[in-house]
Amino acid sequence: MNRIVPLILAVALFMEQMDSTVIATSLPAIAHDLGVGPITLKLALTAYMVSLAIFIPLSGWMADRFGAKRVFRLAILVFIAGSILCAIASSLFGFVGARFLQGMGGAMMTPVARLVLVRSTQRSELVGAMAMLTIPALVGPLAGPPLGGFITTYFSWHWIFLINVPIGVIGFILSGLFLPEIEASRPPALDGKGFVLSAVAASGTMFGFSVISLPALPPIVGILSVVLGFVCALLYWRHARSHPSPILDLKLFSDSAFRAAAVGGSLFRISIGAVPFLMPLMLQVGFGLTPFQSGMITFAGAIGAITTKVFARRALALMGFRTTLIVAGIAGAVLTFVNGLFTPATPSIVMIAVLVVAGLIRSLFFTSVNALSFADIPDRDASKATSMSAVLQQMSLAFGVATAGSILEIEGWITGTHLELSDFHLAFMLISAITLVSILPFIGMSKDAGATVSGHRRPGERQAEAVGGAQG
């Protein structure tokens, strides 16, 4: 495997993942310039997520039809165009539209990058390659808020988007030079009805979760949107069972490894969505820290995520997917629970140490679960698997934020008071319980599941190989 390939893909994904959260701390400044309220401008965050939900299912079909490399490079250009339009926007409508365009580019960039990696990497090297893509997925959302706050404070919010231009141009050039050519195929005709149903199901659900957790609109709007999303999901399920080539192929779930990775990964990802939402709020509301101070503490999780590539491959070779994911799931739940024990008296170094270890554990989990998703999937179905995985990822992250926000809202409604530190403590503890449930799909897996990817061998097999090697 050409080692520059995962590096190019990782840089592009870091740009996309960071941009999903980078404007969070800059909303007041952007809203002031556009002449609207910060709450109203949160529609820009929602527009980005809705765009992802609509166009991710289309990414697999487009990669097969036009070639994965070509679609990936086109996605970078669309993302750059959206970034420029965000920087020059002078109205709410223009800014929200530009964020929607950015989401279109991001929707194609993430799953197609994973597809390029799967199709250009030997299965025995897939774990190491996936670790490169896991890092930006975890570091980007953590880096976004402090970086956005720093740029807005010392420069201008416009540079949050303009900085994407040189990074994107470099990525476009390098991807043209180094990414392998993956031949386009002749996929079946686009499943138009399935695309509409899946788009409404995913976007309705994500929009509803966003409105419920960040009430820029009345909560009833979010509830009705979620209901519409679930109805369309049910209609899509009926449609996909009879369609010969559905845009999101539910037959993928017949593969036990993919099914476990999808269900367990989605449950664990709820924590990934909830913790970055809860931690900055707790540090600011409960501890009285500034946004920049809280951002610098939460960024510690990125340090742990970066170190995963060093040992993820060895851990999987030693323990296999099943044991690694169970251990990482339990450890992730415990560390999320520990967040609920922090108080203003807790030394910063202790909080940072916990967040570093938590970042390491989460990165190990997702490196493993992403590789497991493709462990037994034939190459011909890789594009379908990338689309399905990306949709589940975005929806579970949105559900994590919504769950955390709903817990805080319910606690405030019950107590009739403003948010207090104890509210955040309870929220972390409830999220940790959901995180723990994520290990259940992996308990029933075979210890040898995905062994061709993890390189795991049972002790007896390793001993036989050693004896055979000595005799040879």
Side-chain angles (χ1 to χ4, degrees):
M1 176 187 66
N2 188 344
R3 294 189 180 276
I4 198 172
V5 170
L7 182 61
I8 293 170
L9 299 174
V11 170
L13 295 194
F14 176 78
M15 178 177 66
E16 185 271 321
Q17 293 284 344
M18 183 185 68
D19 235 62
S20 65
T21 58
V22 72
I23 72 169
T25 53
S26 309
L27 285 178
I30 301 173
H32 179 268
D33 283 1
L34 297 181
V36 298
I39 297 297
T40 303
L41 195 59
K42 286 183 179 178
L43 291 173
L45 293 171
T46 303
Y48 188 88
M49 290 190 291
V50 168
S51 182
L52 289 176
I54 291 173
F55 292 103
I56 281 176
L58 194 60
S59 61
W61 183 86
M62 287 192 65
D64 285 342
R65 176 65 179 82
F66 301 106
K69 177 178 177 179
R70 185 179 301 171
V71 172
F72 179 75
R73 301 186 75 212
L74 175 63
I76 293 178
L77 293 180
V78 172
F79 194 83
I80 292 174
S83 298
I84 294 173
L85 291 176
C86 282
I88 65 175
S90 58
S91 67
L92 174 64
F93 178 79
F95 188 76
V96 170
R99 287 290 287 176
F100 190 85
L101 184 63
Q102 268 193 317
M104 289 176 61
M108 298 295 169
M109 203 183 298
T110 303
V112 174
R114 194 174 295 158
L115 176 61
V116 171
L117 198 66
V118 170
R119 288 185 171 172
S120 62
T121 305
Q122 295 181 4
R123 292 299 169 102
S124 60
E125 298 180 345
L126 189 58
V127 172
M130 279 295 179
M132 292 291 290
L133 292 192
T134 300
I135 291 172
L138 292 172
V139 174
L142 293 173
L147 182 60
F150 178 81
I151 292 175
T152 302
T153 301
Y154 297 104
F155 298 96
S156 165
W157 65 263
H158 303 82
W159 285 102
I160 291 174
F161 303 103
L162 292 176
I163 199 173
N164 290 331
V165 177
I167 297 174
V169 169
I170 293 171
F172 181 81
I173 294 172
L174 292 179
S175 61
L177 293 174
F178 295 104
L179 292 191
E181 292 289 348
I182 299 176
E183 292 293 330
S185 61
R186 292 186 176 273
L190 178 65
D191 174 19
K193 181 179 179 181
F195 172 65
V196 172
L197 288 174
S198 65
V200 176
S203 62
T205 304
M206 291 186 68
F207 177 78
F209 285 157
S210 300
V211 171
I212 292 171
S213 60
L214 302 171
L217 296 172
I220 187 62
V221 175
I223 294 171
L224 292 177
S225 181
V226 170
V227 171
L228 175 63
F230 278 121
V231 169
C232 286
L234 178 61
L235 293 175
Y236 179 80
W237 176 71
R238 294 180 59 186
H239 164 78
R241 292 180 64 189
S242 57
H243 195 281
S245 302
I247 194 166
L248 288 174
D249 194 351
L250 302 181
K251 294 185 180 68
L252 291 167
F253 289 96
S254 62
D255 180 90
S256 59
F258 182 88
R259 183 173 62 251
V263 177
S266 295
L267 289 170
F268 194 92
R269 223 173 255 112
I270 291 173
S271 172
I272 301 300
V275 171
F277 173 81
L278 289 171
M279 184 61 71
L281 276 179
M282 184 176 76
L283 294 176
Q284 293 174 51
V285 176
F287 291 19
L289 300 182
T290 66
F292 186 67
Q293 288 173 325
S294 69
M296 292 306 295
I297 291 177
T298 56
F299 185 67
I303 300 173
I306 292 171
T307 62
T308 302
K309 190 177 187 304
V310 177
F311 67 90
R313 194 169 182 174
R314 294 178 180 176
L316 285 169
L318 177 64
M319 298 186 293
F321 280 112
R322 178 178 178 272
T323 303
T324 299
L325 287 166
I326 291 175
V327 170
I330 294 173
V334 170
L335 290 165
T336 301
F337 186 90
V338 170
N339 290 339
L341 303 178
F342 292 161
T343 69
T346 305
S348 295
I349 189 64
V350 173
M351 290 190 290
I352 289 172
V354 171
L355 293 175
V356 167
V357 177
L360 185 151
I361 293 297
R362 290 180 183 127
S363 186
L364 173 62
F365 184 96
F366 283 119
T367 295
S368 304
V369 86
N370 287 339
L372 179 63
S373 297
F374 297 94
D376 298 325
I377 296 293
D379 287 342
R380 67 178 182 275
D381 292 331
S383 61
K384 299 177 183 178
T386 56
S387 297
M388 181 67 76
S389 297
V391 168
L392 294 174
Q393 174 178 325
Q394 293 299 326
M395 292 185 67
S396 56
L397 288 174
F399 186 69
V401 176
T403 301
S406 298
I407 291 172
L408 295 180
E409 288 286 337
I410 292 171
E411 288 180 277
W413 179 75
I414 292 174
T415 60
T417 60
H418 295 294
L419 286 177
E420 297 179 352
L421 185 57
S422 59
D423 297 327
F424 292 100
H425 287 170
L426 179 59
F428 274 117
M429 293 173 185
L430 292 176
I431 292 296
S432 70
I434 298 175
T435 307
L436 186 62
V437 175
S438 69
I439 69 171
L440 295 180
F442 306 115
I443 292 177
M445 281 175 48
S446 166
K447 292 183 179 181
D448 298 330
T452 56
V453 172
S454 67
H456 176 63
R457 297 290 184 273
R458 292 186 179 184
E461 294 173 338
R462 290 197 295 268
Q463 183 177 4
E465 289 179 1
V467 172
Q471 292 176 345

